[in-house]
């Protein structure tokens, strides 16, 4: 009888269990890190979206303020009107957004201050205003003004 003296090298069961256990631990850590990165990416995306909304609102207000002849604020309807000879553009301030005719700006405004001729006013006629956004929009202060024309100033003093 010939005895086979070749031993086959192999892993033991306990060594295989340790390898599987370490693989599971590393995979669990990798998924946890991936989840943290996804949360950060979502918050970065939300901050970018909020900043973009504020910028679009500011640009729209600047354009309308400098196209119009008169700016008028109605406190009872919470509406800001930009009046020109051709048309009137209105911004309605709601709690969570601002409505401009068919456009909606998802920006929450917490405070509005209106000015005329360098003085703070509560009257309906304004030539500058400051809007302060909510906390999720980093409490950004938007200051919009327009230069008064001779026509605007003469209407006031009459």
């Amino acid at each position: 009888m010939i005895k086979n003296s070749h031993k086959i090298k192999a892993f033991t069961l306990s060594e295989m269990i340790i390898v599987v256990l370490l693989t599971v631990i590393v995979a669990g850590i990798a998924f946890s890190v991936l989840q943290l990165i996804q949360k950060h990416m979502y918050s970065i995306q939300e901050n970018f979206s909020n900043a973009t909304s504020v910028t679009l609102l500011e640009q729209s207000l600047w354009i309308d303020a400098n196209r119009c002849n008169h700016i008028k604020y109605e406190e009872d309807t919470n509406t800001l009107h930009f009046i020109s000879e051709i048309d009137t553009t209105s911004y309605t301030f709601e709690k969570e957004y601002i409505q401009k005719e068919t456009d909606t700006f998802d920006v929450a405004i917490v405070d509005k201050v209106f000015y005329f001729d360098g003085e703070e006013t509560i009257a309906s006629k304004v030539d500058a205003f400051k809007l302060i956004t909510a906390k999720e929009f980093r409490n950004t202060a938007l200051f919009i003004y327009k230069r008064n024309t001779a026509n605007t100033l003469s209407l006031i003093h009459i």
Side-chain angles (χ1 to χ4, degrees):
M1 183 161 159
I2 300 176
K3 209 172 199 191
N4 195 354
S5 63
H6 290 350
K7 241 185 173 178
I8 300 174
K9 292 189 175 188
F11 294 108
T12 64
L13 182 59
S14 60
E15 290 172 333
M16 291 299 288
I17 289 174
I18 290 173
V19 167
V20 169
L21 186 62
L22 289 175
T23 304
V24 167
I25 291 171
V26 169
I29 291 172
F31 280 116
S32 297
V33 169
L34 179 64
Q35 188 176 18
L36 283 173
I37 290 172
Q38 283 178 331
K39 283 182 182 178
H40 285 290
M41 291 302 292
Y42 288 136
S43 61
I44 288 170
Q45 182 179 4
E46 185 177 340
N47 287 340
F48 179 74
S49 176
N50 288 345
T52 302
S53 295
V54 170
T55 302
L56 289 173
L57 173 64
E58 184 177 26
Q59 288 174 351
S60 181
L61 287 168
W62 269 108
I63 289 168
D64 288 332
N66 289 298
R67 280 186 183 167
C68 72
N69 295 333
H70 307 288
I71 302 174
K72 180 178 158 187
Y73 179 69
E74 293 180 3
E75 193 170 0
D76 55 338
T77 60
N78 210 13
T79 304
L80 188 64
H81 301 284
F82 295 94
I83 304 164
S84 69
E85 293 87 12
I86 300 172
D87 67 346
T88 298
T89 304
S90 299
Y91 289 79
T92 304
F93 297 95
E94 301 293 340
K95 188 172 186 145
E96 297 294 321
Y97 63 92
I98 298 169
Q99 183 77 36
K100 174 192 172 186
E101 295 164 0
T102 58
D103 292 336
T104 302
F105 299 98
D106 291 325
V107 178
I109 301 295
V110 294
D111 192 22
K112 299 179 283 298
V113 182
F114 297 98
Y115 301 93
F116 187 77
D117 205 21
E119 300 290 326
E120 190 172 323
T121 183
I122 56 172
S124 64
K125 199 169 209 49
V126 296
D127 63 0
F129 53 93
K130 180 169 70 170
L131 305 175
I132 300 174
T133 62
K135 185 177 181 181
E136 62 265 19
F137 299 96
R138 303 175 85 193
N139 292 54
T140 305
L142 303 175
F143 186 77
I144 310 295
Y145 66 92
K146 71 177 285 329
R147 295 187 185 270
N148 287 325
T149 61
N151 184 24
T152 304
L153 293 175
S154 68
L155 289 174
I156 296 164
H157 296 296
I158 292 178

